[in-house]
């Protein structure tokens, strides 16, 4: 069973550029959530995708957008990068079933630096 | 919005000793889930232990146990017989069951040989 993978591992961009981060969910999982973890902070929920549809969003501006593909992998896109977007971006996958909580499995993250 | 608060940014513990990490949370919900996650330098979040709010019995996982006080909205983690591999950031997290986690700021645990 393959775990959650993310690419790239590290990325350096300049202010104003656009970036795409990728996440491959664990085999059999249909839900992907993205989190932003600034240095010295806990992760903050960005949004979640379930069966290719956005299924909830945290307090992030529209320049943060995402996609989920038929194989349940996902992308996080950030436009017009700002210095404060520098952070570790974590992806987590789970198998959503009715009722209860479904354990999320995290990837190793992508470290984004905006100069 | 739910908030999760962790104080004591860094905790030191001697190897084989016990350390307790504190967490409080704020919610108006009656059904929810609480978690402790470990984040080692490799950055990958690992679930340590989980507690369902409707369960009165405190969860335990080997050397890890929690003290869940629902009325006080308190959820502490006890690590017994600390090992060098326990050194990491520990995050307390909350979820209403919608698979969206709200995390605290974390506690750095340092294990002294």
């Amino acid at each position: 069973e393959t775990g959650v993978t993310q690419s790239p591992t590290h990325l350096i961009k300049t202010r104003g550029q656009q970036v795409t981060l990728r996440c491959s969910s664990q085999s059999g999982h249909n839900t992907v959530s993205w989190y932003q973890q600034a240095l010295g902070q806990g992760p903050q929920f960005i949004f979640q995708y379930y069966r290719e549809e956005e299924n909830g969003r945290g307090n992030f501006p529209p320049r943060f957008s995402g996609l989920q593909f038929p194989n349940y992998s996902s992308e996080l896109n950030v436009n017009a990068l700002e210095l404060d977007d520098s952070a570790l971006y974590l992806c987590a996958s789970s198998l959503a079933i009715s009722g209860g909580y479904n354990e999320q499995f995290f990837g190793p993250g992508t470290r984004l630096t905006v100069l | 919005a739910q908030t999760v608060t962790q104080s004591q940014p860094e905790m030191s513990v001697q190897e084989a000793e016990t350390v307790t990490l504190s967490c409080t949370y704020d919610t108006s919900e009656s059904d929810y889930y609480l978690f402790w996650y470990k984040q080692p330098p490799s950055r990958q979040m690992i679930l340590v232990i989980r507690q369902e709010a409707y369960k009165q019995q405190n969860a335990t996982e080997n050397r890890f146990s929690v003290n869940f006080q629902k009325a006080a909205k308190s959820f502490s983690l006890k690590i017994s017989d600390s090992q060098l591999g326990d050194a990491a950031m520990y995050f307390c997290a909350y979820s209403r069951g919608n698979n969206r986690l709200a995390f605290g700021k974390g506690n750095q645990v340092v294990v002294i040989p």
Side-chain angles (χ1 to χ4, degrees), chain A residues 9-10 33 35 37 40-43 45 48 55-56 88 94 100-104 106-109 111, chain B residues 33 35 37 39 42-47 50 89 91 95 97-106:
Chain A
T9 305
H10 298 89
S33 301
Y35 294 84
Q37 186 178 13
Q41 303 293 316
F45 174 74
Q48 180 183 97
N55 182 39
L88 179 68
S94 59
Y101 178 85
N102 312 116
E103 183 176 348
Q104 296 191 58
F106 283 83
R111 172 75 66 191
Chain B
Y33 302 81
F35 310 84
Y37 277 88
Q39 187 177 41
S42 67
R43 311 181 316 201
Q44 193 149 5
M45 285 282 191
I46 302 164
L47 178 63
R50 155 183 156 179
M89 283 292 289
F91 291 95
S95 177
N98 53 7
N99 276 26
R100 293 163 219 173
L101 292 163
F103 288 88
K105 288 188 175 182

mmCIF file of all heavy atoms in Angstrom, chain A residues 9-10 33 35 37 40-43 45 48 55-56 88 94 100-104 106-109 111, chain B residues 33 35 37 39 42-47 50 89 91 95 97-106:
data_model
loop_
_atom_site.group_PDB
_atom_site.id
_atom_site.type_symbol
_atom_site.label_atom_id
_atom_site.label_comp_id
_atom_site.label_asym_id
_atom_site.label_seq_id
_atom_site.Cartn_x
_atom_site.Cartn_y
_atom_site.Cartn_z
ATOM 1 N N THR A 9 9.494 18.461 -3.193
ATOM 2 C CA THR A 9 9.831 18.494 -1.769
ATOM 3 C C THR A 9 10.066 19.934 -1.317
ATOM 4 O O THR A 9 9.618 20.334 -0.239
ATOM 5 C CB THR A 9 11.089 17.667 -1.502
ATOM 6 O OG1 THR A 9 10.882 16.357 -1.997
ATOM 7 C CG2 THR A 9 11.389 17.607 -0.017
ATOM 8 N N HIS A 10 10.796 20.658 -2.123
ATOM 9 C CA HIS A 10 11.105 22.058 -1.854
ATOM 10 C C HIS A 10 10.875 22.875 -3.120
ATOM 11 O O HIS A 10 11.015 22.352 -4.234
ATOM 12 C CB HIS A 10 12.563 22.249 -1.429
ATOM 13 C CG HIS A 10 12.942 21.560 -0.174
ATOM 14 N ND1 HIS A 10 13.407 20.270 -0.145
ATOM 15 C CD2 HIS A 10 12.903 21.978 1.124
ATOM 16 C CE1 HIS A 10 13.656 19.917 1.104
ATOM 17 N NE2 HIS A 10 13.358 20.929 1.895
ATOM 18 N N SER A 33 -7.294 16.671 1.780
ATOM 19 C CA SER A 33 -7.320 17.966 2.457
ATOM 20 C C SER A 33 -5.941 18.593 2.366
ATOM 21 O O SER A 33 -4.931 17.886 2.416
ATOM 22 C CB SER A 33 -7.708 17.792 3.933
ATOM 23 O OG SER A 33 -8.978 17.188 4.050
ATOM 24 N N TYR A 35 -3.346 21.643 3.944
ATOM 25 C CA TYR A 35 -3.073 22.483 5.105
ATOM 26 C C TYR A 35 -1.826 23.323 4.840
ATOM 27 O O TYR A 35 -0.890 22.866 4.176
ATOM 28 C CB TYR A 35 -2.826 21.623 6.353
ATOM 29 C CG TYR A 35 -4.027 20.834 6.820
ATOM 30 C CD1 TYR A 35 -4.335 19.597 6.253
ATOM 31 C CD2 TYR A 35 -4.858 21.313 7.836
ATOM 32 C CE1 TYR A 35 -5.437 18.870 6.664
ATOM 33 C CE2 TYR A 35 -5.960 20.590 8.260
ATOM 34 C CZ TYR A 35 -6.241 19.372 7.669
ATOM 35 O OH TYR A 35 -7.337 18.653 8.086
ATOM 36 N N GLN A 37 1.240 25.193 6.889
ATOM 37 C CA GLN A 37 1.897 25.268 8.187
ATOM 38 C C GLN A 37 3.030 26.280 8.115
ATOM 39 O O GLN A 37 4.107 26.003 7.582
ATOM 40 C CB GLN A 37 2.439 23.897 8.612
ATOM 41 C CG GLN A 37 3.006 23.895 10.025
ATOM 42 C CD GLN A 37 3.488 22.519 10.457
ATOM 43 O OE1 GLN A 37 3.633 21.597 9.660
ATOM 44 N NE2 GLN A 37 3.722 22.364 11.752
ATOM 45 N N GLY A 40 6.844 27.546 12.887
ATOM 46 C CA GLY A 40 6.531 27.689 14.303
ATOM 47 C C GLY A 40 5.054 27.656 14.640
ATOM 48 O O GLY A 40 4.675 27.944 15.781
ATOM 49 N N GLN A 41 4.227 27.319 13.680
ATOM 50 C CA GLN A 41 2.780 27.289 13.885
ATOM 51 C C GLN A 41 2.225 25.900 13.615
ATOM 52 O O GLN A 41 2.894 25.045 13.040
ATOM 53 C CB GLN A 41 2.089 28.286 12.951
ATOM 54 C CG GLN A 41 2.566 29.720 13.098
ATOM 55 C CD GLN A 41 2.195 30.305 14.441
ATOM 56 O OE1 GLN A 41 1.075 30.133 14.920
ATOM 57 N NE2 GLN A 41 3.134 31.004 15.069
ATOM 58 N N GLY A 42 0.981 25.687 14.018
ATOM 59 C CA GLY A 42 0.287 24.469 13.651
ATOM 60 C C GLY A 42 -0.311 24.603 12.258
ATOM 61 O O GLY A 42 -0.487 25.718 11.752
ATOM 62 N N PRO A 43 -0.609 23.492 11.608
ATOM 63 C CA PRO A 43 -1.223 23.551 10.277
ATOM 64 C C PRO A 43 -2.585 24.242 10.306
ATOM 65 O O PRO A 43 -3.339 24.095 11.266
ATOM 66 C CB PRO A 43 -1.365 22.074 9.893
ATOM 67 C CG PRO A 43 -0.362 21.355 10.743
ATOM 68 C CD PRO A 43 -0.329 22.114 12.034
ATOM 69 N N PHE A 45 -6.116 24.668 8.015
ATOM 70 C CA PHE A 45 -6.908 24.040 6.955
ATOM 71 C C PHE A 45 -7.138 25.016 5.806
ATOM 72 O O PHE A 45 -7.624 26.119 6.024
ATOM 73 C CB PHE A 45 -8.238 23.568 7.541
ATOM 74 C CG PHE A 45 -9.212 23.018 6.541
ATOM 75 C CD1 PHE A 45 -9.022 21.768 5.989
ATOM 76 C CD2 PHE A 45 -10.327 23.750 6.167
ATOM 77 C CE1 PHE A 45 -9.927 21.253 5.073
ATOM 78 C CE2 PHE A 45 -11.247 23.247 5.258
ATOM 79 C CZ PHE A 45 -11.045 21.992 4.713
ATOM 80 N N GLN A 48 -10.714 21.174 1.236
ATOM 81 C CA GLN A 48 -10.825 19.724 1.123
ATOM 82 C C GLN A 48 -11.535 19.387 -0.186
ATOM 83 O O GLN A 48 -12.452 20.103 -0.605
ATOM 84 C CB GLN A 48 -11.632 19.183 2.307
ATOM 85 C CG GLN A 48 -11.830 17.689 2.321
ATOM 86 C CD GLN A 48 -12.697 17.264 3.502
ATOM 87 O OE1 GLN A 48 -13.899 17.063 3.393
ATOM 88 N NE2 GLN A 48 -12.059 17.140 4.654
ATOM 89 N N ASN A 55 -15.065 20.529 -0.967
ATOM 90 C CA ASN A 55 -15.983 20.127 0.103
ATOM 91 C C ASN A 55 -15.597 20.849 1.390
ATOM 92 O O ASN A 55 -15.339 20.228 2.402
ATOM 93 C CB ASN A 55 -15.915 18.607 0.297
ATOM 94 C CG ASN A 55 -16.871 18.119 1.354
ATOM 95 O OD1 ASN A 55 -17.987 18.598 1.465
ATOM 96 N ND2 ASN A 55 -16.425 17.172 2.163
ATOM 97 N N GLY A 56 -15.548 22.160 1.331
ATOM 98 C CA GLY A 56 -15.213 22.933 2.512
ATOM 99 C C GLY A 56 -13.915 23.674 2.310
ATOM 100 O O GLY A 56 -12.987 23.189 1.662
ATOM 101 N N LEU A 88 5.167 25.355 4.949
ATOM 102 C CA LEU A 88 5.107 23.935 4.595
ATOM 103 C C LEU A 88 3.657 23.634 4.229
ATOM 104 O O LEU A 88 2.752 23.940 5.006
ATOM 105 C CB LEU A 88 5.545 23.079 5.787
ATOM 106 C CG LEU A 88 5.519 21.562 5.591
ATOM 107 C CD1 LEU A 88 6.576 21.127 4.583
ATOM 108 C CD2 LEU A 88 5.735 20.858 6.936
ATOM 109 N N SER A 94 -7.902 10.619 3.012
ATOM 110 C CA SER A 94 -8.719 9.750 3.848
ATOM 111 C C SER A 94 -9.783 9.108 2.983
ATOM 112 O O SER A 94 -10.033 9.532 1.858
ATOM 113 C CB SER A 94 -9.354 10.543 4.990
ATOM 114 O OG SER A 94 -10.163 11.580 4.487
ATOM 115 N N GLY A 100 -19.077 9.313 11.633
ATOM 116 C CA GLY A 100 -17.802 9.221 12.317
ATOM 117 C C GLY A 100 -16.683 9.991 11.651
ATOM 118 O O GLY A 100 -16.892 10.762 10.730
ATOM 119 N N TYR A 101 -15.508 9.768 12.155
ATOM 120 C CA TYR A 101 -14.319 10.445 11.645
ATOM 121 C C TYR A 101 -13.479 9.426 10.896
ATOM 122 O O TYR A 101 -13.322 8.295 11.322
ATOM 123 C CB TYR A 101 -13.515 11.041 12.802
ATOM 124 C CG TYR A 101 -12.253 11.698 12.338
ATOM 125 C CD1 TYR A 101 -12.251 13.009 11.895
ATOM 126 C CD2 TYR A 101 -11.047 10.994 12.319
ATOM 127 C CE1 TYR A 101 -11.094 13.607 11.443
ATOM 128 C CE2 TYR A 101 -9.884 11.586 11.870
ATOM 129 C CZ TYR A 101 -9.912 12.892 11.433
ATOM 130 O OH TYR A 101 -8.765 13.466 10.973
ATOM 131 N N ASN A 102 -12.939 9.858 9.775
ATOM 132 C CA ASN A 102 -12.100 8.983 8.966
ATOM 133 C C ASN A 102 -10.665 9.456 9.060
ATOM 134 O O ASN A 102 -10.359 10.581 8.708
ATOM 135 C CB ASN A 102 -12.578 9.019 7.514
ATOM 136 C CG ASN A 102 -14.068 8.854 7.420
ATOM 137 O OD1 ASN A 102 -14.782 9.740 6.979
ATOM 138 N ND2 ASN A 102 -14.565 7.730 7.889
ATOM 139 N N GLU A 103 -9.789 8.591 9.542
ATOM 140 C CA GLU A 103 -8.415 8.997 9.810
ATOM 141 C C GLU A 103 -7.746 9.557 8.573
ATOM 142 O O GLU A 103 -7.864 9.014 7.475
ATOM 143 C CB GLU A 103 -7.589 7.827 10.334
ATOM 144 C CG GLU A 103 -6.157 8.231 10.685
ATOM 145 C CD GLU A 103 -5.355 7.101 11.303
ATOM 146 O OE1 GLU A 103 -5.952 6.079 11.674
ATOM 147 O OE2 GLU A 103 -4.127 7.261 11.386
ATOM 148 N N GLN A 104 -7.061 10.670 8.769
ATOM 149 C CA GLN A 104 -6.319 11.300 7.692
ATOM 150 C C GLN A 104 -4.869 10.858 7.764
ATOM 151 O O GLN A 104 -4.276 10.803 8.823
ATOM 152 C CB GLN A 104 -6.402 12.823 7.822
ATOM 153 C CG GLN A 104 -7.809 13.348 7.669
ATOM 154 C CD GLN A 104 -7.849 14.858 7.527
ATOM 155 O OE1 GLN A 104 -7.256 15.441 6.627
ATOM 156 N NE2 GLN A 104 -8.548 15.490 8.442
ATOM 157 N N PHE A 106 -1.148 11.809 6.396
ATOM 158 C CA PHE A 106 -0.449 12.976 5.866
ATOM 159 C C PHE A 106 0.741 12.603 5.002
ATOM 160 O O PHE A 106 1.420 11.598 5.241
ATOM 161 C CB PHE A 106 0.045 13.856 7.026
ATOM 162 C CG PHE A 106 -1.036 14.675 7.658
ATOM 163 C CD1 PHE A 106 -1.876 14.135 8.617
ATOM 164 C CD2 PHE A 106 -1.222 16.006 7.282
ATOM 165 C CE1 PHE A 106 -2.874 14.898 9.203
ATOM 166 C CE2 PHE A 106 -2.217 16.781 7.860
ATOM 167 C CZ PHE A 106 -3.050 16.217 8.819
ATOM 168 N N GLY A 107 0.988 13.464 4.024
ATOM 169 C CA GLY A 107 2.211 13.367 3.244
ATOM 170 C C GLY A 107 3.336 14.115 3.935
ATOM 171 O O GLY A 107 3.117 14.763 4.973
ATOM 172 N N PRO A 108 4.539 14.072 3.369
ATOM 173 C CA PRO A 108 5.698 14.711 3.995
ATOM 174 C C PRO A 108 5.762 16.213 3.773
ATOM 175 O O PRO A 108 6.594 16.889 4.375
ATOM 176 C CB PRO A 108 6.874 14.017 3.316
ATOM 177 C CG PRO A 108 6.344 13.604 1.986
ATOM 178 C CD PRO A 108 4.893 13.287 2.190
ATOM 179 N N GLY A 109 4.880 16.737 2.935
ATOM 180 C CA GLY A 109 4.819 18.183 2.737
ATOM 181 C C GLY A 109 5.719 18.712 1.637
ATOM 182 O O GLY A 109 6.673 18.065 1.206
ATOM 183 N N ARG A 111 7.867 22.243 1.016
ATOM 184 C CA ARG A 111 8.340 23.495 1.630
ATOM 185 C C ARG A 111 8.427 24.554 0.546
ATOM 186 O O ARG A 111 9.232 24.437 -0.371
ATOM 187 C CB ARG A 111 9.711 23.274 2.267
ATOM 188 C CG ARG A 111 10.377 24.559 2.760
ATOM 189 C CD ARG A 111 9.767 25.078 4.026
ATOM 190 N NE ARG A 111 9.978 24.187 5.159
ATOM 191 C CZ ARG A 111 9.355 24.320 6.319
ATOM 192 N NH1 ARG A 111 8.478 25.282 6.497
ATOM 193 N NH2 ARG A 111 9.608 23.474 7.297
ATOM 194 N N TYR B 33 -14.103 15.115 17.859
ATOM 195 C CA TYR B 33 -12.968 14.226 18.027
ATOM 196 C C TYR B 33 -11.745 15.060 18.383
ATOM 197 O O TYR B 33 -11.573 16.178 17.892
ATOM 198 C CB TYR B 33 -12.693 13.450 16.731
ATOM 199 C CG TYR B 33 -13.866 12.630 16.273
ATOM 200 C CD1 TYR B 33 -14.919 13.211 15.566
ATOM 201 C CD2 TYR B 33 -13.938 11.271 16.562
ATOM 202 C CE1 TYR B 33 -15.998 12.476 15.168
ATOM 203 C CE2 TYR B 33 -15.026 10.515 16.149
ATOM 204 C CZ TYR B 33 -16.048 11.121 15.455
ATOM 205 O OH TYR B 33 -17.133 10.384 15.051
ATOM 206 N N PHE B 35 -7.382 14.840 18.956
ATOM 207 C CA PHE B 35 -6.228 14.074 18.509
ATOM 208 C C PHE B 35 -4.936 14.680 19.067
ATOM 209 O O PHE B 35 -4.867 15.877 19.346
ATOM 210 C CB PHE B 35 -6.099 14.104 16.978
ATOM 211 C CG PHE B 35 -7.350 13.759 16.241
ATOM 212 C CD1 PHE B 35 -8.317 14.726 16.007
ATOM 213 C CD2 PHE B 35 -7.578 12.476 15.800
ATOM 214 C CE1 PHE B 35 -9.491 14.425 15.329
ATOM 215 C CE2 PHE B 35 -8.741 12.160 15.114
ATOM 216 C CZ PHE B 35 -9.697 13.132 14.874
ATOM 217 N N TYR B 37 -1.104 14.641 17.447
ATOM 218 C CA TYR B 37 -0.249 14.278 16.329
ATOM 219 C C TYR B 37 1.195 14.562 16.702
ATOM 220 O O TYR B 37 1.497 15.519 17.416
ATOM 221 C CB TYR B 37 -0.603 15.096 15.079
ATOM 222 C CG TYR B 37 -1.760 14.564 14.274
ATOM 223 C CD1 TYR B 37 -3.059 14.950 14.566
ATOM 224 C CD2 TYR B 37 -1.550 13.686 13.218
ATOM 225 C CE1 TYR B 37 -4.126 14.467 13.822
ATOM 226 C CE2 TYR B 37 -2.612 13.202 12.466
ATOM 227 C CZ TYR B 37 -3.890 13.592 12.771
ATOM 228 O OH TYR B 37 -4.949 13.118 12.033
ATOM 229 N N GLN B 39 4.962 15.349 15.007
ATOM 230 C CA GLN B 39 5.644 15.769 13.787
ATOM 231 C C GLN B 39 7.149 15.782 14.038
ATOM 232 O O GLN B 39 7.685 16.720 14.610
ATOM 233 C CB GLN B 39 5.171 17.150 13.329
ATOM 234 C CG GLN B 39 5.727 17.553 11.958
ATOM 235 C CD GLN B 39 5.201 18.891 11.469
ATOM 236 O OE1 GLN B 39 5.082 19.836 12.242
ATOM 237 N NE2 GLN B 39 4.879 18.982 10.187
ATOM 238 N N SER B 42 11.307 14.958 10.130
ATOM 239 C CA SER B 42 10.964 14.542 8.761
ATOM 240 C C SER B 42 9.711 15.250 8.245
ATOM 241 O O SER B 42 9.387 15.167 7.066
ATOM 242 C CB SER B 42 10.735 13.027 8.711
ATOM 243 O OG SER B 42 9.577 12.683 9.462
ATOM 244 N N ARG B 43 8.998 15.947 9.141
ATOM 245 C CA ARG B 43 7.830 16.796 8.837
ATOM 246 C C ARG B 43 6.509 16.037 8.680
ATOM 247 O O ARG B 43 5.462 16.664 8.648
ATOM 248 C CB ARG B 43 8.065 17.652 7.576
ATOM 249 C CG ARG B 43 9.359 18.400 7.559
ATOM 250 C CD ARG B 43 9.545 19.243 6.325
ATOM 251 N NE ARG B 43 9.174 18.604 5.081
ATOM 252 C CZ ARG B 43 9.632 19.005 3.895
ATOM 253 N NH1 ARG B 43 10.467 20.012 3.819
ATOM 254 N NH2 ARG B 43 9.237 18.408 2.789
ATOM 255 N N GLN B 44 6.562 14.725 8.575
ATOM 256 C CA GLN B 44 5.318 13.997 8.325
ATOM 257 C C GLN B 44 4.511 13.853 9.604
ATOM 258 O O GLN B 44 5.000 13.342 10.604
ATOM 259 C CB GLN B 44 5.630 12.623 7.745
ATOM 260 C CG GLN B 44 4.440 11.920 7.167
ATOM 261 C CD GLN B 44 4.812 11.021 6.004
ATOM 262 O OE1 GLN B 44 5.995 10.858 5.685
ATOM 263 N NE2 GLN B 44 3.831 10.436 5.361
ATOM 264 N N MET B 45 3.277 14.289 9.564
ATOM 265 C CA MET B 45 2.376 14.200 10.719
ATOM 266 C C MET B 45 1.976 12.746 10.959
ATOM 267 O O MET B 45 1.519 12.063 10.038
ATOM 268 C CB MET B 45 1.099 15.007 10.455
ATOM 269 C CG MET B 45 1.275 16.473 10.551
ATOM 270 S SD MET B 45 1.312 16.958 12.277
ATOM 271 C CE MET B 45 1.181 18.729 12.078
ATOM 272 N N ILE B 46 2.121 12.311 12.201
ATOM 273 C CA ILE B 46 1.782 10.940 12.564
ATOM 274 C C ILE B 46 0.761 10.989 13.685
ATOM 275 O O ILE B 46 0.973 11.654 14.699
ATOM 276 C CB ILE B 46 3.042 10.182 13.045
ATOM 277 C CG1 ILE B 46 4.115 10.184 11.950
ATOM 278 C CG2 ILE B 46 2.688 8.750 13.454
ATOM 279 C CD1 ILE B 46 5.485 9.814 12.456
ATOM 280 N N LEU B 47 -0.338 10.273 13.507
ATOM 281 C CA LEU B 47 -1.367 10.236 14.543
ATOM 282 C C LEU B 47 -0.862 9.412 15.729
ATOM 283 O O LEU B 47 -0.448 8.264 15.570
ATOM 284 C CB LEU B 47 -2.657 9.625 13.994
ATOM 285 C CG LEU B 47 -3.806 9.484 14.983
ATOM 286 C CD1 LEU B 47 -4.252 10.858 15.472
ATOM 287 C CD2 LEU B 47 -4.966 8.729 14.352
ATOM 288 N N ARG B 50 -6.241 9.183 19.557
ATOM 289 C CA ARG B 50 -7.499 9.838 19.194
ATOM 290 C C ARG B 50 -8.525 9.578 20.290
ATOM 291 O O ARG B 50 -8.546 8.501 20.893
ATOM 292 C CB ARG B 50 -7.947 9.281 17.863
ATOM 293 C CG ARG B 50 -9.414 9.339 17.558
ATOM 294 C CD ARG B 50 -9.675 8.687 16.231
ATOM 295 N NE ARG B 50 -11.009 8.205 16.095
ATOM 296 C CZ ARG B 50 -11.482 7.615 15.009
ATOM 297 N NH1 ARG B 50 -10.699 7.454 13.968
ATOM 298 N NH2 ARG B 50 -12.720 7.197 14.948
ATOM 299 N N MET B 89 7.755 17.607 17.574
ATOM 300 C CA MET B 89 6.665 18.542 17.866
ATOM 301 C C MET B 89 5.386 17.735 18.030
ATOM 302 O O MET B 89 5.129 16.805 17.244
ATOM 303 C CB MET B 89 6.487 19.541 16.724
ATOM 304 C CG MET B 89 7.507 20.637 16.682
ATOM 305 S SD MET B 89 7.367 21.791 18.070
ATOM 306 C CE MET B 89 5.850 22.645 17.633
ATOM 307 N N PHE B 91 1.233 18.117 18.298
ATOM 308 C CA PHE B 91 0.112 19.016 18.045
ATOM 309 C C PHE B 91 -1.183 18.390 18.557
ATOM 310 O O PHE B 91 -1.483 17.222 18.261
ATOM 311 C CB PHE B 91 -0.027 19.294 16.549
ATOM 312 C CG PHE B 91 1.090 20.116 15.981
ATOM 313 C CD1 PHE B 91 2.180 19.503 15.390
ATOM 314 C CD2 PHE B 91 1.055 21.499 16.036
ATOM 315 C CE1 PHE B 91 3.221 20.245 14.860
ATOM 316 C CE2 PHE B 91 2.090 22.258 15.513
ATOM 317 C CZ PHE B 91 3.173 21.625 14.937
ATOM 318 N N SER B 95 -11.612 17.969 15.606
ATOM 319 C CA SER B 95 -12.424 17.848 14.400
ATOM 320 C C SER B 95 -13.862 17.561 14.781
ATOM 321 O O SER B 95 -14.130 16.827 15.744
ATOM 322 C CB SER B 95 -11.898 16.724 13.508
ATOM 323 O OG SER B 95 -12.735 16.554 12.373
ATOM 324 N N GLY B 97 -15.687 15.888 12.876
ATOM 325 C CA GLY B 97 -16.038 14.674 12.154
ATOM 326 C C GLY B 97 -16.192 14.911 10.680
ATOM 327 O O GLY B 97 -16.568 14.012 9.933
ATOM 328 N N ASN B 98 -15.878 16.144 10.247
ATOM 329 C CA ASN B 98 -15.939 16.448 8.819
ATOM 330 C C ASN B 98 -14.563 16.344 8.175
ATOM 331 O O ASN B 98 -14.334 16.853 7.084
ATOM 332 C CB ASN B 98 -16.505 17.849 8.599
ATOM 333 C CG ASN B 98 -15.756 18.903 9.385
ATOM 334 O OD1 ASN B 98 -14.731 18.615 10.005
ATOM 335 N ND2 ASN B 98 -16.241 20.134 9.358
ATOM 336 N N ASN B 99 -13.683 15.686 8.879
ATOM 337 C CA ASN B 99 -12.325 15.470 8.385
ATOM 338 C C ASN B 99 -11.512 16.739 8.259
ATOM 339 O O ASN B 99 -10.489 16.755 7.604
ATOM 340 C CB ASN B 99 -12.323 14.722 7.044
ATOM 341 C CG ASN B 99 -12.423 13.232 7.250
ATOM 342 O OD1 ASN B 99 -12.955 12.784 8.247
ATOM 343 N ND2 ASN B 99 -11.920 12.465 6.315
ATOM 344 N N ARG B 100 -11.987 17.838 8.842
ATOM 345 C CA ARG B 100 -11.193 19.065 8.859
ATOM 346 C C ARG B 100 -10.621 19.231 10.254
ATOM 347 O O ARG B 100 -11.365 19.266 11.235
ATOM 348 C CB ARG B 100 -12.070 20.271 8.509
ATOM 349 C CG ARG B 100 -12.550 20.226 7.099
ATOM 350 C CD ARG B 100 -13.715 21.155 6.873
ATOM 351 N NE ARG B 100 -14.682 20.546 5.993
ATOM 352 C CZ ARG B 100 -15.863 21.061 5.713
ATOM 353 N NH1 ARG B 100 -16.213 22.205 6.259
ATOM 354 N NH2 ARG B 100 -16.691 20.459 4.898
ATOM 355 N N LEU B 101 -9.323 19.312 10.314
ATOM 356 C CA LEU B 101 -8.636 19.400 11.592
ATOM 357 C C LEU B 101 -8.270 20.841 11.921
ATOM 358 O O LEU B 101 -7.775 21.569 11.060
ATOM 359 C CB LEU B 101 -7.367 18.550 11.551
ATOM 360 C CG LEU B 101 -7.583 17.038 11.460
ATOM 361 C CD1 LEU B 101 -6.314 16.351 11.008
ATOM 362 C CD2 LEU B 101 -8.033 16.498 12.808
ATOM 363 N N ALA B 102 -8.500 21.217 13.181
ATOM 364 C CA ALA B 102 -8.024 22.502 13.697
ATOM 365 C C ALA B 102 -6.906 22.184 14.685
ATOM 366 O O ALA B 102 -7.131 21.454 15.659
ATOM 367 C CB ALA B 102 -9.157 23.261 14.384
ATOM 368 N N PHE B 103 -5.726 22.706 14.439
ATOM 369 C CA PHE B 103 -4.543 22.382 15.230
ATOM 370 C C PHE B 103 -4.181 23.504 16.193
ATOM 371 O O PHE B 103 -4.428 24.682 15.931
ATOM 372 C CB PHE B 103 -3.334 22.168 14.312
ATOM 373 C CG PHE B 103 -3.363 20.903 13.504
ATOM 374 C CD1 PHE B 103 -3.976 20.870 12.265
ATOM 375 C CD2 PHE B 103 -2.759 19.747 13.984
ATOM 376 C CE1 PHE B 103 -3.988 19.711 11.509
ATOM 377 C CE2 PHE B 103 -2.761 18.588 13.232
ATOM 378 C CZ PHE B 103 -3.376 18.572 11.993
ATOM 379 N N GLY B 104 -3.538 23.118 17.295
ATOM 380 C CA GLY B 104 -2.888 24.093 18.154
ATOM 381 C C GLY B 104 -1.512 24.440 17.595
ATOM 382 O O GLY B 104 -1.120 23.954 16.536
ATOM 383 N N LYS B 105 -0.778 25.276 18.343
ATOM 384 C CA LYS B 105 0.522 25.725 17.864
ATOM 385 C C LYS B 105 1.642 24.727 18.098
ATOM 386 O O LYS B 105 2.737 24.885 17.557
ATOM 387 C CB LYS B 105 0.879 27.061 18.513
ATOM 388 C CG LYS B 105 0.061 28.224 17.999
ATOM 389 C CD LYS B 105 0.590 29.556 18.520
ATOM 390 C CE LYS B 105 -0.171 30.714 17.889
ATOM 391 N NZ LYS B 105 0.363 32.023 18.337
ATOM 392 N N GLY B 106 1.386 23.745 18.926
ATOM 393 C CA GLY B 106 2.371 22.696 19.117
ATOM 394 C C GLY B 106 3.216 22.820 20.358
ATOM 395 O O GLY B 106 3.373 23.915 20.927
#
